Amino acid sequence: MPAPRSLAEDLRTRSDDELAALVRARPDLIHPVPADVATLAQRAGSAPSVAAALLDLDLVELHVVLAAALGPDSSSAGDLARRVAQPGSSLTLRTHARRAVTRLRERALLWGSDRALHLVGACRDQVVPPDRGPMVAALDPVVAGYARDPASLVQLLAGAPPGVQGAVDLLLPGPVVGTVGNARRQPDPTRSPVDWLFAHHLLLPLGSDRAVLPGEVVALLRAAAAGTTPQPLAVPQLDPPAPVAPAPDPTRVEAGAAGAALEVLHAAAEVGLLWGERPPTRLRTGGIAQRDLTAAARATGTSEALLALVVEVALAAGLLAPDTHESAAVLPTTAFDSWLAAPPAHRHADLLLAWRDMPRAVAGPAGRPTATGLAASHLPALRRLVLATLAGSPGAWQDDEVVAAVAWWAPRRAEPTRGEQVRGILRELRALGVLVAGTLTRAGHALLADDRPAAEEALAATLPPQVDALVLQGDLTAVVPGLPSPALATFMRVVADTESRGAASVYRFSPDRIRRALAAGWTPAALQAELARRGTVPQPLAYLIDDLGRQQATLRIGAVSTYLRCDDPVVLAAIVADPAATSLGLVAISDTVLVSALPAEDVLERLHRLGHAPQPEGGMAAAHEGPRRVRSRSAEPAAPQVSAALAAAAVRAMRATDRGSPPASRPPGSGSSGASPGGAHPVPLTGPAEVVAALRAAIATQSPVWIGYADPTGVAGDRRVEPLRIAGGYLTALDLRSEQVQSFALARVTGVQPG
C-alpha cells in the first residue's frame, strides 16, 4: 500500500475501530459530527484542536512532538523514538518513547507510514514558541550543559568570532525564529557567524529554511543582558516517575479502606436524615451557613472537613439538592430514600463515581459547601489524572511524589494552584477510603477504569455485612455487630447516642434519648418490643423505659399538618364515618374541628374525590412536619463525553458520505425514517418522563427506536434512530435513514416506540 500523502488519506486508510478510538481520545473532533473524513482531517489539523490534544500528552510524548518539529520534514518511527530515548537511556524510557510515537499516530498528531512520519503543521507552532524558543535540554546534551552551567555559555560567547554576538543580539529580543537558507547543512564554524551558532547548538534547524534559539539559551542570555547572573536551569528527567517506597501489604490496604468508607456512608446517611427534618440555611452566595455546618457536624459525629466533602458529593450524586419551593434550604431528594435502602457497596460506588465526575471543588476551612464559587470544570480530568498516576506504578506514593508525577504526565496543564489541588484530591481519596498508605485500593483501580461492577465487588469484599440485630448490654449500651441496616440505623438514631463507629458500632441509651423516642410516638411497650425483636432487653434498660413512660403518661403531644373546620357538626361527623376517608387519619378535637397529620394537598385531593369542596382559610399555609424531600436531580457532565456507541455512529456517518452521497437529509420531523413516505409509522403520544426513560433504556441497550418529532413549524413526523446520548435537553442520535448523527430537542419528541 503506498504511503498516504496527507492526513485525510491517512485517516481514510484507518479501520472504523481506529477512527472511533481517535474521536473518543479527542472529543472535540465530533462536536458537531464532521460531514466526512476530509472534514475530520481538517478539524484534527486545526490549531484549537491540536492545542486541546497537546494538553493530554505526557513529557515524553511532548518531546517526541518537539523532536519531530525540529527534525526533517519526515522521520521514521524508530528515529523519532531514538531522538528522545538517546543511547544510554533506561529500558523504561526507550519503551515509553516507542509507545509515545504510537499514541501520537493514534491521535492523528503524526501521520504517514512507519518509514516516513509527518508532524501535523499546527503542532510545530504549538511547541516552538516564537518569542522564547523550545526547551530542548532533554533532547540536546550540549544545550543541557549550558542549562546546568550558565557560566560556560557566557564564556563561549565572550570568545566567539566577530559577528556572532550581533547575530544573537538580533534574535534575542524576539522573535527568536529566523530565516536561514539550507538550515540542515553541515555547519562549518569558520564559514559564518550563523554556522558557528549552528555548530555550538546555539541555533537549531526548524524545517529546511528556518532556525530557532533554544529556550534555555534565550532564558540565560536574557538574564545576562538584564545585568543579573544567570542561574542554572533544571533539565527535565524524561524517565516516567515512580514512588520510592515499596507497596504495602494489599490486605492492609483493603482493611484500612473499610473504616473510612463506613465513616463516609454514615455521614452521608446522617446528614440526609438530619436535613430532611431541619434543613440548613443557604446564604445569598449559595453556601451553607457556618452555624448549620457546625451543627450538622456535631449531630453526625464527624468533622466539618469530612462533612463538607460528603455534602458536595451528595449534591453531585443527586442525593441532596436546593429546595425548589424554598431556595434558601437544602433537602434530601427522592433518590436519597432508595439510595439509603441499597446495599452498602452500591451506595459507596454511587458516591465514588459522583466524586470523580463532579465539576466542583470541595470547600476548605474558609469556604462554604454548595457555594457558587466552587465550580471548577477542569477537576474531573485532574481527578482521573491523579488516579491514573497512583495506578501507573506500584508503590507507596508520597504527596510530593504525586504532585511531581502529575506535572510529568500533563506538563501543558500546569497552573500555579495545581499542586495544592492535587494535594486536596489526595486528601479526599483518603477520606473516601480509596487511598490507603499511598496505594490505591481495588475499588480505586475500578473507579479509574470506569468499571462499576468491579468497584462494587471490591467494596462488598471490604465492607462488613448489613445486620438488623443488637447486642444489648446491662450498662445501657448496645453493639451492632456489623453495618446497621437502614431500618436499624433510623431506629437507633432516635433512641440512642452513637459512641463509636466502625466494623461494629456502639450506641448508648440515655434518659434524654428515651424521652425523645417517647415524644416521637413510641409507647414504652412498643419500644421494648422493637428492642426485643433485635436482641434480649436487660433489666436496667427495661426499668429505664418503664420509669420514663410513667413520667410522661399524663402529657401527650402530636403533630398536625391540616385541619378541617365546619359550622355544621353533621358534615364533619359524616366525613369521619365514611370508610373511604379512613386513610386520612382524621381526629375530632371538637364538634366543629377535625385534624390530620397528612399535608393539606393530600387531604384536599381525597375530599374532592369524596365529593366535598373545602375552602381554604385566609392565610392558611400547610405545615411541613417530618422528613422533607425534593425531586431528584443529577448534574450534567463537566465536559462532553464520547461513548463507544456515539463514536461508532459518527464513524459510520462519515464513512457513508465518503462512499457516496447519502439520501438527501431532511430536517427532523419532516417525514418518516425507514418507512414509506408520509410517515407511515405513527408513534403514540407519551409523556415527557416516559420519553426520557424510554430513550435512556435504548441508549443502555444500544437499540434503535422510532420517535415522533415535531419540527419548529409544528408538523409532526416519525424518525427511526439509534439514541446515543441525552445532555442539555437534547437527544443525540444516528438517523438510520440519512446515516447522519443529528440532535433532537427533547421538548419536541412526542413519543418513543421500540423499533
Side-chain angles (χ1 to χ4, degrees), residues 16 82 143 164 268 286 299 360 367 374 446 498 501 539 561 638 652 666 703 750 753-754:
D16 288 358
R82 283 189 293 272
V143 177
V164 169
R360 290 175 55 81
L374 295 174
T498 305
R501 291 185 299 272
Q539 269 192 346
S561 180
R652 180 176 168 185
R666 289 173 286 176
S703 305
T750 60
Q753 192 176 55

Side-chain angles (χ1 to χ4, degrees), residues 636-637 725-731 744-746:
E636 293 289 341
R725 183 179 62 185
I726 292 177
Y730 283 85
L731 164 70
F744 301 86
L746 287 175

Side-chain angles (χ1 to χ4, degrees), residues 268-331:
E270 285 292 304
V271 77
L273 293 170
L274 175 67
W275 286 357
E277 298 173 356
R278 299 190 298 277
T281 302
R282 296 180 71 224
L283 306 175
R284 291 183 179 180
T285 57
I288 295 175
Q290 180 61 45
R291 63 178 182 277
D292 290 324
L293 188 65
T294 302
R298 188 182 301 113
T300 58
T302 188
S303 67
E304 291 187 19
L306 179 61
L307 187 66
L309 170 63
V310 168
V311 168
E312 289 290 354
V313 173
L315 284 164
L319 306 180
L320 297 175
D323 189 0
T324 54
H325 298 292
E326 186 183 344
S327 60
V330 175
L331 291 171

Side-chain angles (χ1 to χ4, degrees), residues 27-48:
D28 61 289
L29 295 182
I30 58 169
H31 292 290
V33 176
D36 50 28
V37 175
T39 307
L40 175 69
Q42 183 180 13
R43 193 175 296 173
S46 66

Side-chain angles (χ1 to χ4, degrees), residues 182-263:
N182 191 17
R184 297 200 174 278
R185 65 181 181 269
Q186 183 65 33
D188 180 359
T190 63
R191 182 186 305 163
S192 67
V194 171
D195 277 65
W196 190 92
L197 290 171
F198 272 128
H200 291 86
H201 296 231
L202 299 182
L203 273 181
L204 299 177
L206 183 60
S208 59
D209 59 356
R210 290 188 299 169
V212 60
L213 287 175
E216 293 85 353
V217 171
V218 173
L220 294 173
L221 294 184
R222 284 180 178 172
T228 60
T229 302
Q231 298 299 314
L233 302 176
V235 176
Q237 298 298 316
L238 297 186
D239 283 283
V244 174
D249 183 358
T251 57
R252 174 191 165 200
V253 172
E254 299 300 325
L262 289 173
E263 184 77 11

